[in-house]
Amino acid sequence: AMVYPAEGLLPAVLDPLLEYLSANLPPSLYSFVVKLLSHSFAAVSACASLGASLLSNAPGDWNAQTLLPPIITILAAYLALSSLYRTTSWLLRLIFWFMKWGTLLGIFIGGVGYLMGNAGGNAVG
């Protein structure tokens, strides 16, 4: 299933890039790139919105209705990106662990099989 970015989530400037990527990347990798771009753009735009609202008003005029939405968006984007990073790094470490221990166990089992099948099962002297 091809993932298309939601309308208004990414700026229209990125449409030619997204069309090029969708034509040249596998669907799963394209989906990953779109999610990464969407969350990154949301975090940057929320930081800009928060900065603009903080700089345009005096500290005494700050209210929760203008400060909370960008803060929540920044937190949600950060959690989405950190979850993506942690899941990917955990997957790569797990793959490496299975390859390492699978190779060692395979060498050990192969050696035991060689010794058991050698000379009628009498591998000791």
Side-chain angles (χ1 to χ4, degrees), residues 7-82:
E7 190 67 36
L9 190 57
L10 291 174
V13 173
L14 296 177
D15 284 344
L17 175 67
L18 291 176
E19 288 175 9
Y20 175 77
L21 290 177
S22 69
N24 294 321
L25 292 178
S28 58
L29 185 59
Y30 175 73
S31 172
F32 171 76
V33 169
V34 167
K35 286 179 185 179
L36 184 68
L37 283 174
S38 298
H39 290 305
S40 299
F41 182 73
V44 168
S45 64
C47 286
S49 171
L50 181 63
S53 66
L54 289 177
L55 293 175
S56 67
N57 296 326
D61 296 335
W62 292 348
N63 59 8
Q65 287 83 11
T66 57
L67 296 180
L68 233 68
I71 291 173
I72 291 172
T73 304
I74 291 168
L75 180 65
Y78 167 74
L79 291 175
L81 291 172
S82 65

Side-chain angles (χ1 to χ4, degrees), residues 104-125:
L104 291 174
L105 187 63
I107 290 170
F108 176 73
I109 297 293
V112 168
Y114 175 76
L115 290 176
M116 295 293 287
N118 195 13
N122 188 5
V124 182

